[in-house]
Structure formats: structure tokens, C-alpha cells
């Protein structure tokens, strides 16, 4: 999950889901969902502009449940629910980053590796002594308004235009 957090944050902020590190850590369905989310914040759908993430999502795993067939797992832990910046944020205050429960759904590939298929924050408070909050330095600023065609997609056998 930690290895998947950085390429997801870079893809989100850069509007670019083509990186090999993103495709090596996330399932195609999860990447299509990321593309759909980016499209949701484009100018066509949102007059308020996009948001960015301050860095890789913090996550402190507390339990792992492997499916009986070994083909998937659920990793539950503490994370930060509101992990975003808007164009009006001059800085990110990690003192406001209260830990909440969240889970990663991962699936096992034929080569034995796992890919993240989904991330779901619950909003339920949790306690963590090991939740490390790291942010990009400098924080992302860039262009806050973009069009759907500005989202760089690729890396699939078929290049999906929208999430299911």
C-alpha cells in the first residue's frame, strides 16, 4: 500500500495515469476510477476547480485479512480522510490530519504480486502511533483548472475514456 501511495499522488497531481509505477501497483479498474475522479474535477464538470493531494496518502496498517482462496486481501488501518488541497490553501496543516479508519482492497496477480484495487476511507476515528504524514516540498500548485482532454491516459490494452 505504501508503494502504491506515491505513484497515485503523482498521477493525481500531474493529471497523468500513464506511469509504469502506477500500473505496477494499482489494478486497471482502480486506474480507471482515478481517471474518472480526475474527470469529475475538470472544467466540464466543476466550476470550482480541481484539488490536489499534499503527498502520498498516510497509512498505518493494523490488520490484514487474506481471502480463503488467497487471491485477495483486505488491509485495514489508520489514514487521513481529507487528504487534499484546494487552490485557496496556502499550506497544508498536518495538525488537522486526524486519523480515521480506512481499508485497501488488494488482489493477487498470477506472478504472486499484489495490486491495489480499491481504497475506502471510513471516516471513523482510529488511534495510531505510527501514522507518518509526509508532504511534497514544495506543495503542488500548478494549473487548478483543466479540461478532460488534459488528463493523460494510457497503459491499457484499450485506453478507457471513462470509468465503469
Amino acid at each position: 500500500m505504501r508503494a502504491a501511495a506515491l505513484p497515485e499522488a503523482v498521477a493525481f497531481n500531474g493529471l497523468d495515469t500513464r506511469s509504469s509505477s502506477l500500473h505496477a501497483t494499482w489494478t486497471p479498474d482502480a486506474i480507471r476510477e482515478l481517471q474518472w475522479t480526475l474527470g469529475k474535477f475538470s472544467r466540464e464538470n466543476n466550476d470550482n476547480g480541481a484539488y490536489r493531494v499534499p503527498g502520498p496518502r498516510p497509512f498505518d496498517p493494523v490488520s490484514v485479512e487474506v481471502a480463503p482462496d488467497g487471491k485477495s486481501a483486505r488491509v485495514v488501518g489508520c489514514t487521513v480522510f481529507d487528504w487534499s488541497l484546494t487552490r485557496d490553501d496556502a499550506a497544508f496543516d498536518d495538525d488537522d490530519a486526524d486519523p480515521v479508519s480506512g481499508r485497501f482492497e488488494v488482489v493477487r496477480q498470477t506472478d504472486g504480486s499484489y495490486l491495489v484495487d480499491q481504497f475506502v476511507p471510513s471516516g471513523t476515528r482510529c488511534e495510531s502511533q505510527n501514522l507518518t504524514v509526509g508532504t511534497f516540498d514544495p506543495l503542488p500548485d500548478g494549473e487548478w483548472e483543466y479540461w478532460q482532454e488534459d488528463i493523460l491516459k494510457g497503459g491499457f490494452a484499450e485506453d478507457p475514456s471513462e470509468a465503469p
Side-chain angles (χ1 to χ4, degrees):
M1 281 68 56
R2 290 187 178 124
L6 181 59
E8 179 198 29
V10 170
F12 196 93
N13 288 344
L15 307 175
D16 188 348
T17 61
R18 300 174 300 169
S19 83
S20 59
S21 58
L22 182 69
H23 288 262
T25 53
W26 291 84
T27 65
D29 285 344
I31 295 169
R32 281 190 280 276
E33 180 68 25
L34 175 60
Q35 292 169 348
W36 180 85
T37 300
L38 289 170
K40 182 173 80 170
F41 290 106
S42 70
R43 291 279 304 185
E44 291 92 347
N45 301 313
N46 180 5
D47 290 332
N48 297 323
Y51 72 88
R52 301 287 188 257
V53 293
R57 180 176 292 280
F59 188 72
D60 179 21
V62 295
S63 71
V64 177
E65 299 171 24
V66 178
D69 63 5
K71 293 182 179 179
S72 64
R74 173 176 287 173
V75 182
V76 177
C78 289
T79 186
V80 176
F81 185 75
D82 184 14
W83 189 245
S84 63
L85 297 169
T86 66
R87 70 175 134 202
D88 297 330
D89 291 328
F92 180 75
D93 185 0
D94 63 356
D95 289 336
D96 293 335
D98 290 328
V100 297
S101 179
R103 75 175 190 273
F104 281 93
E105 302 289 339
V106 297
V107 293
R108 189 175 184 156
Q109 304 303 292
T110 55
D111 68 359
S113 66
Y114 284 91
L115 295 181
V116 176
D117 191 48
Q118 185 180 36
F119 171 74
V120 181
S122 74
T124 304
R125 242 291 311 98
C126 67
E127 296 295 323
S128 171
Q129 300 300 316
N130 299 312
L131 187 64
T132 302
V133 177
T135 59
F136 294 124
D137 184 13
L139 288 172
D141 51 12
E143 181 58 47
W144 290 91
E145 296 178 358
Y146 61 91
W147 301 99
Q148 285 190 12
E149 59 267 14
D150 294 331
I151 302 167
L152 301 174
K153 302 175 185 178
F156 300 108
E158 294 179 24
D159 188 14
S161 61
E162 55 187 272

